[in-house]
Amino acid sequence: MNNTLFEQFSGTYTQPGDYLLPNLILPAEEETGYIGVCGQRRLNYLKHHRKVLYYNLLTSGKPHSHLVDTEKQAQQLFFGL
């Protein structure tokens, strides 16, 4: 039997029953930055109103950096007033 492309790149499977599930792991994201009130509100907004963008951020492993950028932009606007 030929190996799949996933197996050729050292991918492994788990067999919970009669089927195989690939063992997928998202890359760990460094949490470098503070997420304040504005970042938490952005997260809540994404979860409830922009679900596609939220899941794209989750699968790419970059939700924390997006929220930190949002918090920095909000702080800059606030201190610019």
Side-chain angles (χ1 to χ4, degrees):
M1 185 164 104
N2 293 336
N3 287 342
T4 63
L5 188 60
F6 183 69
E7 291 171 333
Q8 290 174 6
F9 288 107
S10 302
T12 58
Y13 292 96
T14 302
Q15 187 171 7
D18 294 336
Y19 49 90
L20 295 173
L21 294 176
N23 297 326
L24 302 176
I25 299 172
L26 291 175
E29 182 183 14
E30 293 183 23
E31 296 184 3
T32 56
Y34 171 72
I35 298 175
V37 174
C38 294
Q40 292 172 3
R41 288 181 180 170
R42 174 71 173 167
L43 177 62
N44 189 33
Y45 171 77
L46 290 174
K47 282 182 179 179
H48 291 94
H49 302 288
R50 302 286 305 268
K51 292 183 181 185
V52 173
L53 177 58
Y54 174 68
Y55 287 118
N56 285 342
L57 288 169
L58 279 179
T59 56
S60 67
K62 300 183 187 226
H64 188 80
S65 62
H66 175 77
L67 297 174
V68 169
D69 290 342
T70 302
E71 183 66 30
K72 286 179 183 178
Q73 290 174 5
Q75 291 294 326
Q76 289 174 351
L77 288 172
F78 178 74
F79 290 124
L81 292 176

